[in-house]
Amino acid sequence: MRGFGPALTARRLFPLRLPPRPSRRAGPRLSSGPAEAGALERAMDELLRRAVPATPAYELREKTPAPAEGQCADFVSFYGGLAAAAERAELLSRLARGFGVDHGQVAEQSAGVLQLREQPREAAVLLQAEDRLRYALVPRYRGLFHHISKLDGGVGFLVRLRADLLEAQALKLVEGPHVREMNGVLKGMLSEWFSSGFLSLERVTWHSPCEVLQKISESEAVHPVKNWMDMKRRVGPYRRCYFFSHCAAPEEPLVVLHVALTGEISSDIQAIVKECPPSETEERSRISAAIFYSISLTQPGLQGVELGTFLVKRVLKELQKEFPHLGTFSSLSPIPGFTKWLLGLLNTQAKEAGRSELLTDSECSEISAILGGPVHEALRASLSGSEWVKSDKLVRALQGPLMRLCAWYLYGEKHRGYALNPVANFHLQNGAVLWRINWLADPSPKGVAGSCGLMVNYRYYPEDTASNSTSYLCSKSIKASEQVLSLVAQFQKNSKL
């Protein structure tokens, strides 16, 4: 199968759901005394010297036999026996630092390419020199990953290993350019093995195998499934649920998308996840919009691999085939991080007594009258919980300022020129339009804690998604509706950062 690499067949890719980590025999741990920790570190170094294949000379690259399968299996077994995250992080750090690119070889081959460019030579000579340089730029640990992928369940092991690596980076257990580079190399390899050509789109119904329904229920990260009746409603009439599986492992969800078929673009998530459909039998005349309201990745190690983007595009085409009259496609998305961002601003404002750059004078007076005390401190305390949504007066007073602040957060707050909010960045990369911000669309405790109850519609115009995506990725230009732009203008007039 093209794309898997030599000798990597479909049957070797999975299972992706690995068994629990084997119980580790009592032995040295990094958290133990110096002698025990030193013994474990020496064991790690010995393992890596034995398991990571040496890079053969360029001339012998296709003639060198593959390392014994046992060498790679030893690494998998040793790694699986490390119970503590710090121990796994230490092994990965040593692998990244000690078995990357040979910089001496890179410098030598680079000099050769530069020298040839200054001298008139045959094209074949220069091309071979460039090929030697490319070969020198391949880190040694890539060879280890490549050979592990040939083991039964090897790719699944690498998915879990990358999940551990991402977690270790988030916890600051491992840091530095070598670790980031190894993560990028592994992500690139997984992107090849999980490219769209190897993915199968599958629809979930109430008649799907119980194992699939269970996995879908467990993987739902945006709006958790409460019980089996809730699950039945999410795959029943006026609902669609799709997932991608790998061709080598049918019915093993990798990424899951939930869709609601409605009469208009939804502005309230409770109407989708809690209310019963209008009837047990779908009436096509009632369906004029498809709302993507939840997308969940089941494998953390596949983060950054473009599974979600592929899934949204495939499902959009699938719905167009099922409902040729359907022309309205939109998400109803949470805004994770908005509350945290807002609380940070309020904290800064509270320290600068007498200054208010977020609220107008009249808003400060109204909110202060309701809450009492200094407005920024009182508002920060109130928004840190979820009880404020029960006060009609406070809800009315906060609607104007929070709507314009949210609009600015989505439209104006950037990271390297792109939308700071990860959900916004995902949909904008897909070519969607920042279409409508919805007040108290999710008043659940989770929705209030994450985004003050606000949600946003990212609308997909099929004929414009390609050009919108290009505009965003190349020019960092966000397509937004009049409602959003009006709120942004209000922010720029009434608030300052």
Side-chain angles (χ1 to χ4, degrees):
M1 299 176 67
R2 183 178 61 84
F4 288 135
L8 180 57
T9 58
R11 69 178 183 83
R12 293 181 178 272
L13 275 170
F14 291 91
L16 267 175
R17 290 182 178 267
L18 298 169
R21 297 185 188 281
S23 57
R24 186 171 172 268
R25 297 191 304 272
R29 300 172 63 95
L30 289 177
S31 56
S32 304
E36 291 84 356
L40 179 56
E41 291 170 357
R42 288 192 296 273
M44 288 181 178
D45 290 338
E46 174 58 31
L47 169 76
L48 293 175
R49 281 194 296 269
R50 186 174 68 252
V52 182
T55 302
Y58 178 81
E59 292 77 11
L60 301 176
R61 65 194 185 284
E62 295 178 355
K63 300 175 183 178
T64 303
E69 190 173 283
Q71 292 177 228
C72 299
D74 285 348
F75 179 90
V76 173
S77 176
F78 186 97
Y79 185 87
L82 297 174
E87 294 170 348
R88 298 193 295 274
E90 178 64 22
L91 180 60
L92 294 176
S93 179
R94 288 171 180 266
L95 177 62
R97 292 196 315 267
F99 297 87
V101 167
D102 183 337
H103 297 291
Q105 273 293 311
V106 172
E108 181 181 331
Q109 300 303 330
S110 298
V113 170
L114 291 173
Q115 186 177 9
L116 287 172
R117 284 179 58 84
E118 295 172 358
Q119 303 171 357
R121 293 289 183 93
E122 293 183 6
V125 177
L126 178 59
L127 291 173
Q128 186 182 56
E130 291 172 342
D131 193 47
R132 284 177 177 271
L133 175 57
R134 277 192 296 272
Y135 184 72
L137 286 167
V138 177
R140 277 184 64 184
Y141 51 69
R142 194 184 194 284
L144 174 65
F145 297 154
H146 173 73
H147 291 296
I148 287 176
S149 71
K150 300 178 185 179
L151 301 175
D152 288 331
V155 171
F157 169 81
L158 293 174
V159 170
R160 189 180 73 187
L161 183 146
R162 182 164 183 260
D164 289 344
L165 182 58
L166 292 172
E167 181 183 24
Q169 288 180 290
L171 296 174
K172 306 295 184 183
L173 296 175
V174 291
E175 296 182 273
H178 295 92
V179 172
R180 291 194 296 271
E181 176 66 17
M182 187 170 76
N183 175 49
V185 169
L186 187 51
K187 174 187 169 184
M189 298 176 79
L190 292 171
S191 295
E192 292 181 10
W193 296 328
F194 291 90
S195 62
S196 59
F198 300 117
L199 302 176
S200 300
L201 181 67
E202 301 187 39
R203 180 184 166 189
V204 182
T205 71
W206 188 239
H207 302 292
S208 297
C210 287
E211 294 81 2
V212 171
L213 291 169
Q214 183 71 28
K215 292 172 185 175
I216 297 296
S217 174
E218 292 173 352
S219 70
E220 176 52 39
V222 184
H223 307 291
V225 178
K226 294 182 174 60
N227 50 45
W228 280 109
M229 288 305 296
D230 189 10
M231 187 69 219
K232 184 177 183 179
R233 184 164 55 245
R234 298 193 192 196
V235 297
Y238 298 97
R239 299 292 182 268
R240 294 293 184 272
C241 178
Y242 298 92
F243 67 86
F244 265 151
S245 64
H246 197 278
C247 60
E251 299 184 351
E252 185 68 50
L254 300 175
V255 59
V256 183
L257 178 64
H258 289 269
V259 185
L261 303 174
T262 64
E264 60 184 3
I265 296 179
S266 303
S267 60
D268 178 6
I269 191 61
Q270 303 303 320
I272 291 177
V273 299
K274 285 190 174 181
E275 293 181 9
C276 293
S279 64
E280 286 297 317
T281 303
E282 287 182 354
E283 299 178 29
R284 289 183 170 246
S285 60
R286 290 176 174 264
I287 300 172
S288 56
I291 310 301
F292 309 133
Y293 68 92
S294 174
I295 184 165
S296 299
L297 188 66
T298 68
Q299 303 290 335
L302 294 177
Q303 182 181 322
V305 178
E306 291 189 347
L307 299 177
T309 296
F310 293 144
L311 182 58
V312 169
K313 292 178 179 179
R314 284 283 300 277
V315 167
L316 196 151
K317 292 180 180 178
E318 193 72 15
L319 291 171
Q320 286 179 314
K321 285 192 288 186
E322 185 179 1
F323 302 99
H325 71 285
L326 193 60
T328 303
F329 302 91
S330 174
S331 78
L332 180 58
S333 302
I335 313 170
F338 172 61
T339 301
K340 181 179 179 180
W341 174 81
L342 179 57
L343 291 176
L345 293 181
L346 290 171
N347 185 52
T348 301
Q349 295 280 297
K351 293 178 180 178
E352 300 175 0
R355 293 183 61 192
S356 179
E357 296 183 342
L358 300 179
L359 308 171
T360 64
D361 292 341
S362 61
E363 289 167 347
C364 284
S365 299
E366 184 179 6
I367 295 170
S368 184
I370 297 170
L371 295 175
V375 64
H376 294 105
E377 292 181 5
L379 187 55
R380 182 185 59 186
S382 184
L383 293 180
S384 296
S386 59
E387 292 298 308
W388 66 269
V389 297
K390 298 178 182 178
S391 169
D392 292 339
K393 284 186 177 180
L394 189 54
V395 166
R396 286 194 298 271
L398 290 179
Q399 182 172 357
L402 291 192
M403 286 284 283
R404 70 171 183 264
L405 284 164
C406 185
W408 177 257
Y409 171 70
L410 294 172
Y411 184 85
E413 289 294 306
K414 304 292 179 66
H415 174 65
R416 296 178 180 175
Y418 298 105
L420 174 66
N421 183 265
V423 178
N425 188 53
F426 170 78
H427 287 290
L428 294 170
Q429 282 186 2
N430 292 346
V433 173
L434 179 53
W435 193 69
R436 186 176 67 194
I437 298 171
N438 303 291
W439 177 244
L440 288 189
D442 184 6
S444 69
K446 182 180 179 182
V448 174
S451 56
C452 297
L454 280 76
M455 298 188 77
V456 58
N457 300 115
Y458 298 99
R459 188 164 177 180
Y460 286 79
Y461 296 91
E463 66 277 9
D464 296 331
T465 53
S467 60
N468 289 347
S469 177
T470 300
S471 178
Y472 178 69
L473 292 172
C474 297
S475 305
K476 302 176 181 177
S477 173
I478 295 177
K479 299 290 184 180
S481 68
E482 290 185 6
Q483 184 236 28
V484 174
L485 294 177
S486 174
L487 289 169
V488 169
Q490 291 177 37
F491 170 87
Q492 292 171 327
K493 178 181 178 182
N494 297 306
S495 304
K496 297 177 182 178
L497 291 182

